[in-house]
Amino acid sequence: MEKNRLEAFSDGVIAIIITLLVLEIKVPHIDGEANTQKIIAALISIAPKFFSWTLSFFMLLIMWVNHHRIFNEIDKTNNTLLWLNGLLLFFMSFVPFPTAFLGDYFTHSASTFFFGICLMLVGIAFYFLRIYIVKNPGLLKKESNVEHQQKLATKTLIGPAFYFIGAISSFISVIIAYIIYVAVPIYYIYFGIKRKD
């Protein structure tokens, strides 16, 4: 099967998901006459929403970039790949909910845990998609380096592992969890920019 429709569908779904993220950030209502102090206080009050949106946005952006890279390496698709891609989009489409939930209950360990578990599931779904392609080299272009793709697939597990650690650590300290959650996109963006391929 040709890959064009799958790529177009995935790009469209991911674009909608990323758009839905920001819709959870509502303009705060200011009682009485607005002034600089009240506006700053109102913006500070929704800072958790901005933070959770940023975390999710960059996680989804990283997923999209790597999804693009993966599908640039393949020549065709099959039924299993279609369903694995659908499973990935299933978990990605849920991300706006834990993002909004985290923004509303920013200091609670339960919401921080839930956020980490949801992002971990997205990462695992992405890993299954990637490892399936590697295990079926007939899907890859002839010039594609299978060994290199195998190494990249293994590195994909770093994200889910750290999201799980962050989720568990949220019951010890939500600050530690947030540090771990921030470290994941920084890691992937840094090494993504350094990649030559």
Side-chain angles (χ1 to χ4, degrees):
M1 300 179 185
E2 293 185 359
K3 63 177 183 175
N4 297 349
R5 287 189 66 192
L6 179 61
E7 289 178 301
F9 176 72
S10 300
D11 285 349
V13 172
I14 293 170
I16 292 169
I17 295 167
I18 286 178
T19 302
L20 290 174
L21 284 177
V22 77
L23 296 180
E24 283 298 324
I25 304 177
K26 310 294 184 188
V27 176
H29 176 74
I30 298 174
D31 293 321
E33 186 178 347
N35 56 45
T36 302
Q37 186 177 357
K38 285 184 178 181
I39 290 173
I40 291 173
L43 287 173
I44 291 172
S45 71
I46 60 170
K49 289 279 189 182
F50 280 112
F51 184 78
S52 61
W53 165 74
T54 302
L55 282 178
S56 294
F57 177 88
F58 280 103
M59 187 278 284
L60 291 172
L61 179 61
I62 290 163
M63 289 285 177
W64 178 80
V65 168
N66 284 297
H67 190 278
H68 172 71
R69 284 177 172 157
I70 291 170
F71 278 81
N72 195 46
E73 293 291 329
I74 69 173
D75 194 39
K76 54 190 173 182
T77 66
N78 61 22
N79 280 324
T80 303
L81 187 59
L82 291 176
W83 286 106
L84 286 172
N85 190 76
L87 183 66
L88 172 62
L89 295 177
F90 169 78
F91 285 111
M92 289 179 76
S93 66
F94 187 67
V95 169
F97 178 76
T99 302
F101 194 64
L102 183 68
D104 285 342
Y105 303 99
F106 193 70
T107 59
H108 293 265
S109 57
S111 59
T112 313
F113 172 83
F114 182 63
F115 180 82
I117 293 299
C118 290
L119 268 63
M120 179 194 75
L121 292 173
V122 175
I124 291 172
F126 191 78
Y127 170 76
F128 281 129
L129 174 73
R130 191 160 211 167
I131 202 68
Y132 177 78
I133 293 170
V134 172
K135 296 294 184 183
N136 294 271
L139 299 173
L140 292 165
K141 293 177 180 176
K142 292 179 181 179
E143 63 270 21
S144 184
N145 186 331
V146 177
E147 185 179 343
H148 179 63
Q149 293 302 315
Q150 175 71 56
K151 289 179 181 177
L152 292 176
T154 303
K155 284 185 178 180
T156 302
L157 287 172
I158 292 172
F162 273 91
Y163 281 126
F164 178 73
I165 292 169
I168 297 300
S169 66
S170 66
F171 292 107
I172 301 169
S173 169
V174 293
I175 294 174
I176 294 174
Y178 285 131
I179 291 171
I180 294 171
Y181 294 161
V182 169
V184 175
I186 289 174
Y187 168 83
Y188 280 113
I189 291 170
Y190 175 75
F191 285 102
I193 291 172
K194 286 185 67 176
R195 278 177 57 177
K196 306 287 185 191
D197 57 340

